[in-house]
């Protein structure tokens, strides 16, 4: 049995190593950072297909074959105070993104109807701003969540940026919020390469408040911003540590006007 990559399978083929790691996870075990990095560094197409096959087997085992669909409502667009280099909605860049304030009830309820007609189980309120504090805007957000919940057609989710106080997270939970989207985006090391107006720690703190409130966490990242394979591996372990319930893996869409506009898709740096 493989215990470390320098252990009994040191002379094994990549296929045997991938299989041993897959078997271990299938039976409830874990893999180390060193082992994960071995997987992240695979390049031969035969190895990638072995990896995909195992990923599929693990998904079927742990998550079954049911696909859950969710949709979002852009509840406040553009003019965001943050400087995330991948984002069309940052006020730092000229992108032609629409700009409007927080939405009224009607468009949200219409989105819930449409989602329901299309078999979508959750509608998320997504706002382009730094985050949510106590005050009138929190009251308004909670009203939208309650309205969605009362409609009974979809599950209310949200992605509303940084939360600095436990009270805010508790209010969202009381209003009926079940799941909050808050990506870590990249590794701790790489984070300042794409955002300097808030920190990786700000994002972790937000997730701690939400988890304390009993809200599920949807958190992943973006690949293709110029990070290394080690950064991707570190992000995966951070997501494991926070216990993310859902992990979205986004691929950078290089938006004209943003600093990443010239990134090739899936741009990767050598470590
Ligand atoms: S905080 Fe969100 S909306 Fe604002 S620039 Fe960053 S990613 Fe875009």
């Amino acid at each position: 049995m493989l215990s470390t990559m320098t252990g009994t399978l040191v002379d094994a083929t990549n296929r045997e190593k991938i299989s041993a790691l897959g078997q271990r996870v299938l039976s409830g075990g874990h893999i180390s950072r060193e082992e994960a990095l071995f997987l992240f560094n695979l390049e031969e197409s035969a190895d990638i297909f072995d990896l995909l096959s195992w990923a599929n087997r693990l998904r079927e085992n742990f998550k079954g074959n049911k696909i859950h669909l969710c949709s979002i409502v852009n509840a406040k667009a553009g003019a965001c105070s943050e400087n995330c280099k991948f984002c069309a909605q940052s006020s730092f860049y000229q992108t032609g993104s629409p700009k409007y304030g927080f939405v009224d009830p009607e468009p949200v309820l219409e989105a819930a109807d449409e989602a329901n007609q299309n078999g979508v189980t959750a509608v998320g309120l997504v706002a382009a701003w730094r985050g949510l504090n106590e005050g009138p805007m929190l009251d308004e957000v909670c009203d939208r969540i309650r309205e969605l919940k009362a409609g009974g057609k979809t599950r209310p989710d949200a992605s509303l940026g940084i939360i600095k106080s436990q009270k805010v997270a508790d209010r969202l939970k009381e209003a009926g919020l079940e799941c909050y989207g808050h990506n870590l985006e990249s590794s701790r090391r790489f984070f300042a390469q794409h955002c300097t107006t808030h920190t990786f720690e700000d994002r972790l703190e937000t997730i701690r408040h939400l988890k304390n409130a009993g809200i599920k966490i949807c958190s992943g990242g973006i690949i293709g911003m110029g990070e290394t394979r080690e950064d991707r591996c570190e992000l995966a372990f951070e997501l494991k540590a926070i216990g993310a319930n859902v992990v979205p893996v986004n691929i950078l869409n290089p938006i004209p006007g943003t600093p990443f506009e010239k990134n090739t898709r899936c741009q990767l740096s050598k470590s």
Side-chain angles (χ1 to χ4, degrees), residues 118-188:
N118 288 294
V120 175
T121 45
V123 170
L125 296 174
V126 178
W129 56 35
R130 177 183 169 84
L132 195 53
N133 300 311
E134 287 179 74
M137 184 49 70
L138 176 61
D139 297 339
E140 212 172 322
V141 166
C142 288
D143 285 346
R144 291 300 92 77
I145 292 169
R146 273 190 216 95
E147 289 153 10
L148 265 178
K149 183 104 180 162
K153 291 181 176 161
T154 58
R155 186 186 81 193
D157 289 353
S159 180
L160 303 163
I162 292 164
I163 291 176
K164 301 293 282 182
S165 109
Q166 187 58 49
K167 270 190 188 165
V168 172
D170 292 342
R171 286 275 313 276
L172 293 172
K173 176 69 178 174
E174 279 163 28
L177 189 72
E178 293 190 27
C179 186
Y180 195 96
H182 198 60
N183 287 342
L184 293 181
E185 310 297 15
S186 69
S187 70
R188 193 183 290 263

Side-chain angles (χ1 to χ4, degrees), residues 80 82 84 86-87 89-90 128-129 198:
C80 179
E82 305 306 287
C84 308
F86 50 82
C87 184
Q89 308 212 46
S90 167
W129 56 35
H198 64 266

Side-chain angles (χ1 to χ4, degrees), residues 7-25:
T8 54
L9 278 190
V10 70
D11 294 324
T13 63
N14 282 351
R15 165 166 280 198
E16 289 166 334
K17 288 177 186 171
I18 295 165
S19 173
L21 294 174
Q23 290 288 359
R24 194 196 306 164
V25 175

